[in-house]
Amino acid sequence: MPRVKGGPSARRRHKKVLKATKGQRGTKHALFRRANEALMKSRWYAYRDRRNRKRDFRRLWIARINAASRENGLSYSRFIHGLKLAGIEIDRKMLAEMAVNDNVAFARLAEMARNAMAE
């Protein structure tokens, strides 16, 4: 069987990789092998960090809720526990938004959580 070289398809693939790594430092934007390594690594970082971003935002929301609930005399865990007992189902993203932008409504929620724990 005769040997088949890459030809036009290899050139297209190389150009696509080099275009994607434009702006990288050193030889990562100029040499195909280094560019391909950099591209694979950057895609793995992007995949990993799409998941990490969800963790980071949850940590931020919890920190904001904790700060606001302590201003209302409750710790974070007791506040969340009180909300569950009161049957209030609001996710942490919305609670954090309320903690930052609507202190009055958040204080009402804290009061409802406190009352639910007292019962």
Side-chain angles (χ1 to χ4, degrees):
M1 194 168 356
R3 174 174 176 239
V4 178
K5 293 169 66 177
S9 58
R11 181 176 301 281
R12 278 194 297 271
R13 193 176 72 248
H14 287 201
K15 283 179 72 171
K16 188 163 48 170
V17 168
L18 291 172
K19 183 180 179 190
T21 56
K22 206 169 173 180
Q24 296 265 357
R25 273 183 75 144
T27 58
K28 291 179 182 180
H29 73 280
L31 305 179
F32 172 72
R33 181 178 289 180
R34 301 295 166 249
N36 204 30
E37 290 167 355
L39 184 64
M40 287 190 295
K41 191 76 163 185
S42 65
R43 286 185 174 160
W44 166 240
Y45 285 148
Y47 175 83
R48 180 195 69 190
D49 291 338
R50 279 194 296 275
R51 278 130 194 92
N52 287 357
R53 182 173 49 216
K54 293 163 183 59
R55 292 181 213 164
D56 293 342
F57 270 107
R58 185 178 170 96
R59 286 175 63 190
L60 175 67
W61 298 331
I62 288 172
R64 287 178 175 173
I65 295 166
N66 189 23
S69 61
R70 285 184 188 277
E71 286 178 0
N72 289 293
L74 289 169
S75 67
Y76 168 79
S77 61
R78 292 181 63 76
F79 174 68
I80 294 295
H81 180 64
L83 288 181
K84 285 198 189 307
L85 291 177
I88 300 170
E89 294 183 14
I90 302 177
D91 63 359
R92 284 161 180 80
K93 183 178 181 180
M94 292 310 300
L95 285 171
E97 183 69 25
M98 288 173 69
V100 172
N101 295 322
D102 193 2
N103 294 331
V104 176
F106 192 88
R108 263 188 271 140
L109 282 176
E111 191 59 40
M112 291 167 77
R114 193 178 293 109
N115 292 339
M117 283 191 300
E119 292 174 1

